[in-house]
Amino acid sequence: MATTRSDLPKVLVSACLLGQPVRYDGRASGHPDLLQRWQGEGRVVPLCPEVAGGLATPRPPAEIPGGQGGYVLDGQARVLTVAGEDVSEAFLAGARLALELVRRHGIRVAVLKSGSPSCGNRHTYDGSFTGVKVAGEGVTTALLRREGVQVFSELELAEAEQALAAL
Ligand code: SF4
């Protein structure tokens, strides 16, 4: 049985990367071995910002025109569903809940799902719903970075592990 230690630095992780079926399409996004190990060590704080912000699962896909979560934080862009519904408030509420968790647990490292308009850390989609990616970050990632949290994706687990070890 894994040993759990309360003094190990905690890491915020997208719930869909932990096997939870919270994606917009009602599916999960896998469950990498390293994340399972961290869970066994009691260091994972899971969150789906979109569900925490009040959105249902499944839900319509949403994108940020231009793909910049920071602009949503600053009121300069909105998050829109494929049908044109403005879901910015739910995205902002989820980001604020992520910030609360980070502060409560002293979290300095997060592993969030790549490409998401909430969780993406290097790219998002451009708002055209045609699969076009742009360099950018999701709303939650942008807010956590403003707090100084290092945000990695499931494609950068080795880097995330190094960052955690360096704390
Ligand atoms: Fe939720 Fe983020 Fe996963 Fe989307 S990418 S399902 S917002 S945890």
Side-chain angles (χ1 to χ4, degrees), residues 14-16 22-24 47-51 59 113 116 118-119:
S14 288
C16 62
V22 291
R23 282 171 41 126
Y24 74 90
L47 180 72
C48 173
E50 292 174 21
V51 170
R59 53 190 172 277
K113 177 73 181 75
S116 152
S118 289
C119 295

Side-chain angles (χ1 to χ4, degrees), residues 51-107:
V51 170
L55 295 174
T57 304
R59 53 190 172 277
E63 295 187 5
I64 305 164
Q68 308 302 318
Y71 287 4
V72 179
L73 293 177
D74 295 335
Q76 295 168 351
R78 309 300 290 169
V79 189
L80 303 174
T81 69
V82 66
E85 184 190 355
D86 186 338
V87 286
S88 305
E89 289 311 318
F91 276 66
L92 288 165
R96 286 193 288 267
L97 286 165
L99 183 62
E100 255 181 59
L101 280 176
V102 155
R103 288 179 174 166
R104 189 185 316 153
H105 295 284
I107 288 171

